[in-house]
Amino acid sequence: MNMRFYLTLLVLISLSLAICLGSAFAADRSYTIPSINMDLYLQDDGSLHVKETIHYSFSGTFHGVYRDIPISGSQEIQNIKISTPGVYSDFTVTNQSNNRRITINLYSDAQKTNPITDRDVDIILEYDFAHVIKFYNDVAELQYKLVGEGWSVDIGKVNANVHFKSNDGVKYWLNPPYYTENSIWQGNELQITSKNIPSGEYYELRMVIPKNQFAANPTNGIIINQNGLTEIESIQNNYQNQINYKTNLYALLTILMLLSCFIPLIIYVRYGREPRIDYQAEYERDIPTEDPPAIVNAICGPGFSKKIGEPDLDGFKATIMDLIDRKFLIIKSEQTEKSELGLSGSMSFKVNPEKDTNSLRGFEKDIIDFLRGYEEEGLISLDRISDDLSDKSSAKSFRETYENWKDDIKGKFLTDDVLNKIFNKKGDKYLKIYGLAGIIAAALVFFFTLSDQLPAAGWAFLSSIVLGIVAITSLIMPQRIAGQWTTYGEEYDAKWHNFKKYIQDFSLIKEYPPESIVIWNKYLVYATALGVADAVRKAMELSIPRDQLESSDIYLFHYYGGYALLTSSFDTGMTTAAAGSGGGDFGGVGDVGGGFGGGGGGAF
């Protein structure tokens, strides 16, 4: 048993090491093809003699390379010769469906036992390609891919020389033209130099040649009984027109997308700048308005993306604390231990029977009804609320209560007519429409240009990214950036902002403290609505005697965990509720990209 255990452990360790070493080995292996030199010789009999010198640069250990040459119909690859100056090699040819694969094994020693490592190698291939030149009634045509789509890596550069008896009457095209760096005639030799050609792309030479440069009966050519020149020229003209059209379209899209990025600024200048008001106070010591904390939270509450007139959980908690402050809810705590300030332990609510809840506003009744759902023997346990809201069905029930609470506030106290007197949403509406339209436009251009190698497509691609960023930013931009306070709304917000500044600044509170614990309680309620309750609680501890603090239900509720427990419970409830929701024609004139040859290759 022990021997089996150790053998199994040894095998597992060996496999792990092999996988790790294999991964490291694979990660260290790479190669590039900086250039391919190519010579094409047109033969009298209609065949094409091809000489390719492929320059490989290997990093790591490699055993060889392969070269795939597509063939079609009666085409043949003949008289294959391979040479590899400076290294030892052998090769095999495999006939695959519509393809010939030449596999070249590379060795660093004459015994052909060790592969090559970390070196540059030139692979020279020569072969005759039969039935690749087409002979029409009026002209001959060579449509040949100097680089095919099958290469595993980019081709850094192609230097191709095409040899003729005479260049008289020869007409040629290079497709796509944007891969061409240069093409010139040197006597009867056409010299072509390309730019980098990405893996998966092709680079094609197409030319029409006077038939008198070949034998009268080219036995190794493709005979087609029709005229070809007019159709070839038409195809190439159409192809060039398509490139021109796409180039102009991409240029126009680039300009439009970049210009459209300034639309949010225009919207802001037109609709987002705030009106000037006479209000100049630096801070507010008194509660600025008599509005309930939920209303203050809806209009002036914290949050980067919060909408004006949209109450949130801070407003919900502030309403509960306001009900405690107004004695509609009574705090009941069961002492468990002595603390620095007093007693701590389990905390519960009790709905005050001496208070008429029918006098409450609708959104306040929503909270009383919600809490009564957890009532047992007249007490509402915060711990029970916390435990219950982790359940999906209870969380959904809470979310419905919360949404009804918000609807009651917006439907009765913050209607569109009321909000229009406070805040103008027009600019934000236009900004969001722009953001949505911008994202759609940017996404369409992004995906259309992602794989397009046309140079103009690159500019449109980058512009789509810029537009997408601006559009997304516009969608998440706070409503108050592009929207605009009215004169009344600006003053309302400024007063509550200055009040918030006052209750957060202990030096100000110390200099101008509230006159009684009753006012402190009010501060804590509205601080909750404004998202700064902790600051006020700490100021109370530093400013109020202990006996007065222990008499404040609001403070005790916040200090002994009621506020934190509600926060945690409601956040859990909202999260739990959300989680439960839902080629060329061989027999006629071929189109662009339908040339013979090409193929590709790789290394192993």
Side-chain angles (χ1 to χ4, degrees), residues 37-290:
N37 293 339
M38 186 179 299
D39 286 276
L40 304 178
Y41 300 88
L42 283 69
Q43 306 297 301
D44 284 347
D45 63 357
S47 64
L48 184 69
H49 181 72
V50 180
K51 181 179 180 181
E52 299 176 351
T53 301
I54 308 173
H55 301 277
Y56 285 89
S57 181
F58 295 106
S59 176
T61 300
F62 285 83
H63 294 273
V65 300
Y66 63 88
R67 173 78 169 93
D68 289 335
I69 304 174
I71 61 171
S72 180
S74 59
Q75 290 179 341
E76 297 178 59
I77 303 294
Q78 303 168 334
N79 305 321
I80 298 174
K81 297 178 183 179
I82 305 291
S83 61
T84 55
V87 297
Y88 301 92
S89 64
D90 55 43
F91 73 94
T92 58
V93 179
T94 306
N95 294 330
Q96 300 176 338
S97 176
N98 299 324
N99 188 69
R100 295 292 180 268
R101 170 164 288 192
I102 304 172
T103 303
I104 305 163
N105 300 302
L106 301 174
Y107 308 96
S108 59
D109 61 327
Q111 292 75 28
K112 298 184 178 180
T113 56
N114 296 318
I116 61 169
T117 302
D118 295 331
R119 63 176 301 167
D120 296 341
V121 177
D122 290 345
I123 309 292
I124 303 174
L125 297 88
E126 287 194 66
Y127 53 89
D128 293 323
F129 204 159
H131 302 290
V132 69
I133 300 176
K134 296 179 180 180
F135 291 86
Y136 300 97
N137 294 337
D138 51 353
V139 292
E141 178 197 18
L142 173 63
Q143 187 178 6
Y144 189 82
K145 288 182 179 178
L146 304 176
V147 174
E149 297 93 326
W151 290 96
S152 299
V153 296
D154 293 358
I155 307 300
K157 178 180 287 189
V158 174
N159 301 304
N161 301 313
V162 189
H163 303 267
F164 299 87
K165 291 181 179 179
S166 170
N167 64 20
D168 292 339
V170 177
K171 192 172 186 178
Y172 70 92
W173 300 266
L174 292 163
N175 305 317
Y178 44 81
Y179 286 143
T180 302
E181 185 175 280
N182 192 29
S183 65
I184 59 171
W185 285 100
Q186 290 289 349
N188 295 329
E189 181 180 297
L190 177 62
Q191 297 180 348
I192 302 166
T193 304
S194 80
K195 301 175 184 177
N196 179 78
I197 301 172
S199 174
E201 300 295 322
Y202 72 88
Y203 184 51
E204 177 185 75
L205 167 68
R206 188 174 201 169
M207 52 177 51
V208 290
I209 311 157
K211 293 174 66 176
N212 58 19
Q213 295 204 27
F214 303 91
N217 183 23
T219 55
N220 282 322
I222 303 170
I223 309 301
I224 300 173
N225 187 23
Q226 68 179 66
N227 290 332
L229 179 60
T230 301
E231 189 171 351
I232 291 169
E233 290 178 332
S234 176
I235 289 172
Q236 286 296 145
N237 287 336
N238 289 337
Y239 176 67
Q240 186 60 52
N241 288 337
Q242 290 176 5
I243 290 178
N244 293 341
Y245 172 78
K246 289 178 67 177
T247 298
N248 293 333
L249 177 61
Y250 286 144
L252 178 62
L253 287 174
T254 298
I255 294 171
L256 291 177
M257 286 189 291
L258 292 178
L259 288 177
S260 70
C261 292
F262 292 95
I263 290 178
L265 179 61
I266 296 172
I267 292 174
Y268 170 76
V269 171
R270 175 64 180 85
Y271 298 103
R273 291 184 295 179
E274 307 300 347
R276 293 185 179 182
I277 56 176
D278 294 332
Y279 176 76
Q280 299 295 330
E282 293 185 8
Y283 59 88
E284 288 283 344
R285 290 176 52 196
D286 298 324
I287 294 173
T289 70
E290 296 181 357

Side-chain angles (χ1 to χ4, degrees), residues 310-598:
E310 187 77 18
D312 59 21
L313 282 173
D314 282 332
F316 193 86
K317 290 177 287 187
T319 302
I320 292 177
M321 295 179 71
D322 186 46
L323 291 172
I324 295 172
D325 186 51
R326 291 156 56 196
K327 306 302 181 183
F328 282 91
L329 293 173
I330 301 172
I331 295 295
K332 296 288 184 180
S333 62
E334 299 175 10
Q335 70 179 64
T336 57
E337 60 182 41
K338 194 81 173 176
S339 72
E340 182 181 348
L341 284 169
L343 300 175
S344 66
S346 175
M347 185 170 289
S348 302
F349 289 124
K350 179 180 180 181
V351 178
N352 190 347
E354 297 180 4
K355 286 280 190 174
D356 181 12
T357 56
N358 291 324
S359 64
L360 294 174
R361 304 174 183 91
F363 67 88
E364 295 169 332
K365 291 180 182 177
D366 290 335
I367 289 181
I368 294 292
D369 292 340
F370 165 73
L371 294 175
R372 275 178 169 158
Y374 292 92
E375 193 172 39
E376 285 186 355
E377 297 181 358
L379 293 179
I380 302 161
S381 170
L382 288 178
D383 291 329
R384 184 184 172 197
I385 294 175
S386 178
D387 293 341
D388 201 51
L389 288 184
S390 62
D391 176 73
K392 185 181 296 185
S393 61
S394 297
K396 287 184 176 180
S397 176
F398 164 69
R399 185 164 187 164
E400 290 175 3
T401 298
Y402 176 65
E403 295 298 331
N404 290 336
W405 173 80
K406 291 202 301 183
D407 290 342
D408 279 345
I409 292 174
K410 293 189 290 185
K412 296 178 182 177
F413 299 93
L414 293 173
T415 62
D416 289 341
D417 289 339
V418 173
L419 285 178
N420 288 338
K421 297 176 182 177
I422 299 172
F423 192 79
N424 181 4
K425 299 180 181 179
K426 186 179 292 185
D428 182 69
K429 177 182 178 182
Y430 291 157
L431 188 64
K432 298 302 185 285
I433 292 172
Y434 163 82
L436 182 60
I439 287 176
I440 294 172
L444 290 174
V445 175
F446 178 88
F447 286 111
F448 273 117
T449 58
L450 183 61
S451 58
D452 196 332
Q453 298 298 322
L454 194 66
W459 290 107
F461 175 80
L462 293 175
S463 299
S464 71
I465 294 176
V466 174
L467 174 60
I469 293 172
V470 174
I472 292 172
T473 303
S474 298
L475 280 181
I476 64 175
M477 194 70 72
Q479 190 182 57
R480 62 189 67 191
I481 297 296
Q484 184 183 57
W485 294 105
T486 63
T487 302
Y488 170 77
E490 174 74 356
E491 184 169 331
Y492 185 97
D493 180 67
K495 288 180 177 180
W496 279 106
H497 174 78
N498 286 340
F499 175 73
K500 181 177 179 180
K501 182 170 67 174
Y502 164 68
I503 60 177
Q504 284 184 285
D505 191 333
F506 178 71
S507 63
L508 282 175
I509 290 183
K510 186 177 181 180
E511 185 176 357
Y512 305 106
E515 296 176 357
S516 68
I517 188 67
V518 174
I519 298 177
W520 273 110
N521 289 342
K522 283 291 183 184
Y523 279 11
L524 191 53
V525 170
Y526 283 97
T528 301
L530 295 170
V532 291
D534 286 339
V536 173
R537 179 180 65 82
K538 291 176 182 177
M540 291 176 73
E541 293 170 359
L542 295 172
S543 305
I544 300 176
R546 182 184 304 173
D547 59 339
Q548 291 187 38
L549 282 178
E550 291 179 348
S551 69
S552 169
D553 281 353
I554 290 292
Y555 172 79
L556 292 175
F557 171 77
H558 193 284
Y559 181 82
Y560 289 119
Y563 173 82
L565 190 58
L566 278 184
T567 298
S568 174
S569 301
F570 292 160
D571 287 345
T572 299
M574 296 298 286
T575 302
T576 305
S581 303
D585 184 356
F586 189 78
V589 177
D591 205 347
V592 171
F596 301 125

